[in-house]
């Protein structure tokens, strides 16, 4: 095999690998594990979030102590129904640009024996309701989607006891590079490499 065709083979392989692993190379643009906040019923987030309707509680094991620790070992987390009887909407202060994202978060059942609760997750044109039974474990949910952009929100719907909601933790948003732009970047590198090789080629030629 000639070196030039080897170059092309390597570049093609690299481009193919990039296309298949674009999710893995996604860059985290927002994350919150709720571990650094003081616990508070009817929580007023000091940063990152606002409450746009109803109320939520910041509970679990927090720097201010341990309260209502339904999922021990997870530090602080959010009960999406506060203590006002109105389920809450927790919304990021940040607005995300239009694009493709992988959103992951931990969501658990209410753990207090109330009926099933529905949390609606929204980011622009992406919207996903998730209904959990009281005993459903705190588990990772992950979605990759292309959206018009906007703020990310988690909203519990009204149902059952308005002070008892699903439990939210470990929210992360990663921007996923477009496969085509990755391929273009790699094609660019390959072209530069080819030019460098051609310029240097006489130096390495051994007969
Ligand atoms: Ca946590
Ligand atoms: Ca509550």
């Amino acid at each position: 095999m000639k070196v030039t065709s080897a170059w092309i083979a390597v570049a093609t392989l690299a481009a193919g690998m990039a296309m298949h692993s674009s999710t893995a190379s996604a860059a985290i643009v927002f994350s919150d594990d709720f571990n650094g906040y003081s616990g508070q019923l009817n929580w007023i987030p000091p940063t990152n979030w606002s409450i746009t309707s109803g109320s939520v509680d910041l509970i679990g094991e927090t720097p201010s102590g341990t309260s209502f620790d339904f999922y021990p070992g997870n530090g602080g987390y959010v009960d999406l129904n506060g203590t006002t009887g109105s389920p809450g909407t927790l919304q990021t202060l940040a607005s995300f640009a239009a694009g493709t994202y992988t959103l992951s978060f931990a969501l658990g059942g209410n753990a207090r024996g109330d009926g099933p609760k529905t949390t609606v997750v929204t980011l622009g044109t992406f919207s996903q309701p998730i209904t959990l039974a009281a005993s459903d474990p705190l588990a990772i949910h992950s979605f990759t989607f292309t959206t018009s952009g906007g703020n990310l929100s988690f909203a519990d719907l009204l149902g059952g006891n308005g002070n008892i909601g699903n439990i939210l933790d470990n929210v992360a948003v990663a921007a996923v590079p477009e496969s085509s732009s990755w391929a273009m970047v790699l094609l660019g590198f390959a072209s530069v490499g080819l030019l460098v090789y051609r310029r240097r080629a006489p130096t390495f030629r051994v007969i």
Side-chain angles (χ1 to χ4, degrees):
M1 184 185 282
K2 289 179 181 176
V3 178
T4 47
S5 53
W7 252 113
I8 291 163
V10 167
T12 306
L13 186 65
M17 286 169 70
M19 283 182 193
H20 288 102
S21 65
S22 58
T23 305
S25 59
I28 300 286
V29 294
F30 176 89
S31 68
D32 202 332
D33 61 11
F34 303 102
N35 291 347
Y37 304 112
S38 295
Q40 184 182 59
L41 300 182
N42 300 325
W43 185 44
I44 311 291
T47 183
N48 279 358
W49 306 91
S50 64
I51 309 300
T52 56
S53 71
S55 61
V56 308
D57 297 324
L58 197 289
I59 56 175
E61 187 180 353
T62 72
S64 60
T66 299
S67 68
F68 304 105
D69 197 8
F70 306 119
Y71 291 103
N74 291 286
Y77 41 83
V78 175
D79 173 2
L80 287 166
N81 286 24
T83 56
T84 60
S86 296
T89 300
L90 183 67
Q91 179 175 291
T92 58
L93 297 177
S95 177
F96 301 92
T100 302
Y101 296 94
T102 295
L103 165 66
S104 66
F105 52 89
L107 196 69
N110 65 72
R112 283 153 285 179
D114 202 19
K117 304 282 177 171
T118 299
T119 301
V120 179
V121 186
T122 304
L123 201 172
T125 44
F126 169 80
S127 188
Q128 178 71 49
I130 300 170
T131 300
L132 298 182
S135 59
D136 282 341
L138 188 66
I140 296 291
H141 297 252
S142 184
F143 301 93
T144 296
F145 52 86
T146 299
T147 176
S148 59
N151 302 69
L152 166 66
S153 66
F154 297 87
D156 255 24
L157 302 183
L158 187 61
N161 186 327
N163 289 343
I164 296 177
N166 284 335
I167 301 295
L168 176 70
D169 201 1
N170 294 328
V171 177
V173 181
V176 179
E178 296 293 331
S179 295
S180 57
S181 53
W182 268 106
M184 290 298 283
V185 167
L186 282 160
L187 201 61
F189 277 129
S191 303
V192 169
L194 205 59
L195 279 172
V196 169
Y197 167 73
R198 279 182 175 163
R199 281 179 187 170
R200 288 183 176 175
T203 313
F204 298 116
R205 190 165 289 156
V206 178
I207 298 171

